[in-house]
């Protein structure tokens, strides 16, 4: 969907409060969004998607029949709806509440209350998920780039794979744990590793150290995408030799620039 702009967006808003619906719709219209439809529950979303496909879903965290996390996980498991970008609008700040939806692949989190500039920035970040722009590399053909994605969440693995696909990266191997990743590295060669931090048995830092200890692993670019906020843990990851560290949620343009910096140098 090249050259998509905010004015062309068709947005489905999921907000149970009629008052909040009106406020958010007003903000979206002020931001220049061309089409906004509002519903109040997860069931209404599924009914709506049976006959129409929005460019973007914007949801409150707590709905009468589910949470935004439940809804996003359901969508990510559907072949028809998995690729629809999903933005959260919420005053929720607790890590244990936000981490699951970050892991599920939310494209942006807009805290309440927000200003008009905030929603424009969030909408622009979401646009990058709809615009397929192939990575242009000096030393690699993106179609031939071999990438290993490591995450214990199937939803997160698939989300990262879809995002890489939008950049023209098609040769993506998935691993559900650090140990499985090490096995894959023993069986084939990769040009890039993308990994989560919080994983059972072998976490992201341990995986980075394992890769760097290999004779063929000293120079493999390793990008970590994580919602971890503990700076002490993240410093350990950097000391282990990670090439780049990205927060969840991340936008394709940030990933694209990070890959350009890593792979062109």
């Amino acid at each position: 969907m090249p050259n998509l702009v905010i004015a062309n967006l068709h947005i489905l808003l999921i907000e149970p409060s009629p008052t909040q619906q009106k406020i958010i719709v007003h903000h979206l219209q002020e931001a220049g969004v061309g089409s906004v439809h509002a519903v109040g529950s997860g069931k209404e979303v599924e009914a709506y998607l049976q006959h129409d496909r929005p460019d973007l879903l914007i949801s409150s965290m707590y709905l009468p029949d589910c949470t935004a996390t439940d809804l996003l996980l359901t969508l990510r498991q559907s072949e028809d709806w998995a690729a629809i970008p999903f933005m959260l609008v919420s005053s929720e700040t607790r890590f244990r509440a936000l981490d699951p939806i970050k892991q599920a692949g939310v494209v942006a989190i807009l805290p309440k209350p927000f200003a008009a500039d905030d929603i424009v920035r969030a909408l622009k970040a979401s646009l990058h998920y709809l615009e397929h722009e192939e990575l242009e590399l000096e030393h690699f053909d993106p179609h031939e780039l071999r990438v290993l994605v490591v995450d214990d969440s199937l939803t997160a693995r698939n989300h990262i794979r879809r995002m890489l696909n939008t950049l023209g990266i098609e040769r993506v191997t998935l691993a559900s744990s650090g140990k499985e990743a090490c096995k894959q590295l023993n069986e084939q060669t990769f040009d890039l590793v993308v990994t989560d931090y919080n994983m059972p048995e072998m976490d992201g830092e341990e995986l980075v150290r394992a890769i760097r200890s290999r004779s063929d692993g000293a120079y493999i670019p390793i990008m970590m995408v994580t919602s971890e906020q503990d700076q002490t843990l993240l410093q350990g990851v950097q000391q282990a030799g990670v090439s780049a560290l990205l927060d969840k949620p991340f936008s394709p343009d940030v990933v694209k620039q990070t890959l350009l910096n890593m792979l062109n140098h």
Side-chain angles (χ1 to χ4, degrees):
M1 195 178 297
N3 301 320
L4 186 66
V5 295
I6 289 176
N8 295 336
L9 281 175
H10 170 38
I11 292 177
L12 178 61
L13 172 66
I14 309 107
E15 169 57 63
S17 163
T19 301
Q20 286 296 314
Q21 273 190 16
K22 291 178 182 178
I23 293 171
I24 296 174
V25 168
H26 175 71
H27 280 302
L28 291 170
Q29 290 172 340
E30 279 196 329
V33 174
S35 173
V36 184
H37 184 85
V39 297
S41 69
K43 287 184 178 179
E44 289 180 86
V45 173
E46 294 190 41
Y48 184 86
L49 292 177
Q50 295 295 336
H51 62 81
D52 203 352
R53 181 186 176 90
D55 299 310
L56 173 66
L57 297 172
I58 300 179
S59 180
S60 176
M61 173 62 90
Y62 300 106
L63 308 174
D65 53 353
C66 65
T67 66
T69 304
D70 298 329
L71 177 58
L72 179 53
L73 288 170
T74 298
L75 296 173
R76 291 291 185 251
Q77 293 167 6
S78 165
E79 185 175 337
D80 295 327
W81 306 330
I84 301 176
F86 191 105
M87 182 196 302
L88 177 69
V89 179
S90 177
S91 56
E92 182 63 77
T93 58
R94 294 173 299 166
F95 177 83
R96 63 189 179 117
L98 293 176
D99 186 56
I101 198 165
K102 289 181 179 181
Q103 300 293 345
V106 68
V107 302
I109 298 177
L110 186 61
K112 291 181 181 177
F114 55 83
D117 289 346
D118 297 326
I119 201 163
V120 169
R121 279 193 294 270
L123 289 172
K124 287 181 176 178
S126 302
L127 284 174
H128 290 288
Y129 282 86
L130 299 166
E131 298 174 321
H132 294 195
E133 188 175 350
E134 191 169 293
L135 201 62
E136 295 182 2
L137 299 170
E138 295 176 10
H139 309 296
F140 295 93
D141 177 350
H143 297 284
E144 298 300 322
L145 198 68
R146 297 158 297 182
V147 181
L148 177 62
V149 173
V150 192
D151 200 302
D152 59 315
S153 164
L154 174 61
T155 304
R157 292 196 300 274
N158 287 334
H159 175 64
I160 295 171
R161 177 174 58 184
R162 282 191 297 270
M163 183 205 59
L164 292 172
N165 290 162
T166 67
L167 298 175
I169 299 172
E170 301 168 349
R171 299 181 64 180
V172 181
T173 300
L174 304 180
S176 61
S177 67
K179 288 189 174 181
E180 184 182 348
C182 290
K183 182 180 178 182
Q184 292 284 358
L185 287 160
N186 288 332
E187 296 174 352
Q188 54 184 311
T189 302
F190 293 96
D191 303 304
L192 170 69
V193 175
V194 181
T195 182
D196 188 21
Y197 176 81
N198 289 301
M199 298 183 291
E201 297 186 285
M202 175 184 281
D203 65 25
E205 180 182 339
E206 292 170 319
L207 175 59
V208 172
R209 293 188 184 279
I211 294 172
R212 293 296 182 233
S213 68
R214 297 169 57 95
S215 59
D216 60 348
Y219 302 106
I220 297 176
I222 306 173
M223 181 171 72
M224 181 173 290
V225 289
T226 180
S227 57
E228 180 60 62
Q229 299 297 310
D230 188 316
Q231 292 303 310
T232 301
L233 295 178
L234 296 179
Q235 286 175 5
V237 172
Q238 292 173 326
Q239 292 170 0
V242 73
S243 308
L245 195 58
L246 272 64
D247 291 332
K248 292 180 179 177
F250 47 85
S251 63
D253 61 324
V254 172
V255 173
K256 180 181 179 181
Q257 189 57 55
T258 302
L259 292 178
L260 287 172
N261 292 339
M262 288 194 303
L263 297 172
N264 283 340
H265 300 90

